[in-house]
Amino acid sequence: MVQLHEEKDRLNLAPKKFNMWLLIFTSFMLFAAWTSAFIVYTGGKGHGLNVILPGVFKYSTAVIIVSSIMLILAKRAAKGLQFAKQRLYLWLTFALGCIFCVLQVYGWYIMTYKMQVYFLNSNAAISFVYVLTAAHLVHIIAGLIVLLSVLRASYRNIPQVMNLYKMEMASIFWHFLDIIWIYLYVFLLLNQN
């Protein structure tokens, strides 16, 4: 009877997982469109980025990669019924996500106040840096909300099928954000001169 109930829960969750994949595909297309627009703008008018990215973006890249590793460990702990470890790794993932946000904002601070590279300027290519990183930051904030939801559920006595489902959904979204950031960072590095 319990197996039948768990199988029914899995079937009820399938459409929600499909919706997550739709969100990821839509977000991917958004970033692809912006990077394509950047290429068209810089190639068509001969404008390059002509700015060196702040070094702090390198550190934020390392932070988000480590956060994905922490989430993998949280998922593994959840599968092994090690709920205290699951919560620990979820908290570490959340903390690293917050650190990523702070580092991104600090990167904007460096660009704006130390490098004197403003969002609005005569070279729209530089504005793309702000748009791409801000859009990614909004997605990171959404990911942090998802992580908080998973954390909240981990402190409750929910069925294991729901716990694993929430972990899987959070993992899919967070790892997507990790991949998108690496893509954006490498893309901007290759176009900074």
Side-chain angles (χ1 to χ4, degrees):
M1 184 69 171
V2 172
Q3 280 185 325
L4 181 64
H5 183 57
E6 286 181 3
E7 189 60 33
K8 186 179 176 185
D9 283 344
R10 281 192 189 111
L11 290 174
N12 289 338
L13 298 174
K16 292 179 182 177
K17 192 171 185 181
F18 178 74
N19 288 340
M20 174 64 80
W21 283 111
L22 281 178
L23 172 70
I24 286 173
F25 179 74
T26 304
S27 297
F28 170 76
M29 292 306 293
L30 178 70
F31 286 107
W34 279 330
T35 53
S36 295
F38 176 89
I39 290 168
V40 169
Y41 176 80
T42 58
K45 296 184 179 184
H47 294 116
L49 193 53
N50 298 326
V51 69
I52 302 298
L53 294 175
V56 72
F57 287 163
K58 181 182 1 173
Y59 300 119
S60 65
T61 303
V63 165
I64 200 164
I65 290 170
V66 173
S67 75
S68 276
I69 294 168
M70 292 299 110
L71 194 54
I72 289 168
L73 294 173
K75 189 175 177 185
R76 190 174 294 160
K79 285 182 179 178
L81 303 175
Q82 298 171 319
F83 303 115
K85 279 187 177 181
Q86 175 192 4
R87 287 189 285 272
L88 171 67
Y89 290 129
L90 280 170
W91 277 116
L92 289 171
T93 304
F94 181 81
L96 289 166
C98 291
I99 292 169
F100 178 86
C101 291
V102 169
L103 290 173
Q104 291 298 101
V105 171
Y106 184 63
W108 296 338
Y109 169 79
I110 291 171
M111 287 180 66
T112 304
Y113 295 105
K114 293 192 178 186
M115 298 170 61
Q116 307 268 321
V117 177
Y118 302 104
F119 174 73
L120 296 174
N121 59 64
S122 60
N123 183 2
I126 293 169
S127 299
F128 276 98
V129 175
Y130 286 99
V131 169
L132 291 169
T133 57
H136 185 263
L137 192 60
V138 168
H139 283 77
I140 287 288
I141 291 168
L144 291 172
I145 292 168
V146 169
L147 287 173
L148 283 176
S149 170
V150 175
L151 265 163
R152 184 172 163 239
S154 74
Y155 283 99
R156 298 171 144 190
N157 190 14
I158 63 171
Q160 179 64 355
V161 68
M162 283 302 296
N163 183 36
L164 292 177
Y165 169 77
K166 286 180 172 288
M167 283 300 306
E168 184 174 359
M169 295 293 280
S171 294
I172 289 169
F173 190 60
W174 196 259
H175 296 317
F176 165 73
L177 296 176
D178 190 346
I179 291 166
I180 286 293
W181 174 251
I182 292 169
Y183 162 72
L184 291 174
Y185 182 62
V186 170
F187 176 82
L188 292 171
L189 275 179
L190 293 174
N191 289 288
Q192 67 184 347
N193 289 324

